[in-house]
Amino acid sequence: MAAAKKINLEKSLADLEELVEELESGDLPLEKAMKKFEEGIKLTRGCQVALKEAEQKVEILLKSAGGDSLEEFEVDDD
């Protein structure tokens, strides 16, 4: 993914949160809401890529340090 630009994860998450609030308000015209939704999808995909890259780096560091590989975990939605 060398051609893709690096994203600032924290900024992207903040932008995504703002988009969600705008969409949830219900005050946007349909066309503008659809554009915001599309922007949100792009931000989400970028965040997923950044998180996957971070996970891979952590796994490499653990392996190079002689540690165990990462274990799967589930997030509680409380």
Side-chain angles (χ1 to χ4, degrees), residues 19-49:
L19 279 172
V20 169
E21 288 176 12
E22 287 181 58
L23 289 168
E24 285 179 340
S25 74
D27 295 335
L28 297 173
L30 181 60
E31 187 173 321
K32 192 168 187 176
M34 292 299 294
K35 286 183 181 182
K36 294 282 185 180
F37 180 76
E38 184 177 352
E39 186 179 337
I41 294 296
K42 289 177 184 177
L43 283 170
T44 301
R45 288 181 181 151
C47 289
Q48 288 172 336
V49 168

Side-chain angles (χ1 to χ4, degrees), residues 46-60:
C47 289
Q48 288 172 336
V49 168
L51 290 172
K52 186 64 176 174
E53 288 175 359
E55 180 182 7
Q56 290 171 343
K57 287 179 184 177
V58 167
E59 194 165 337
I60 289 168

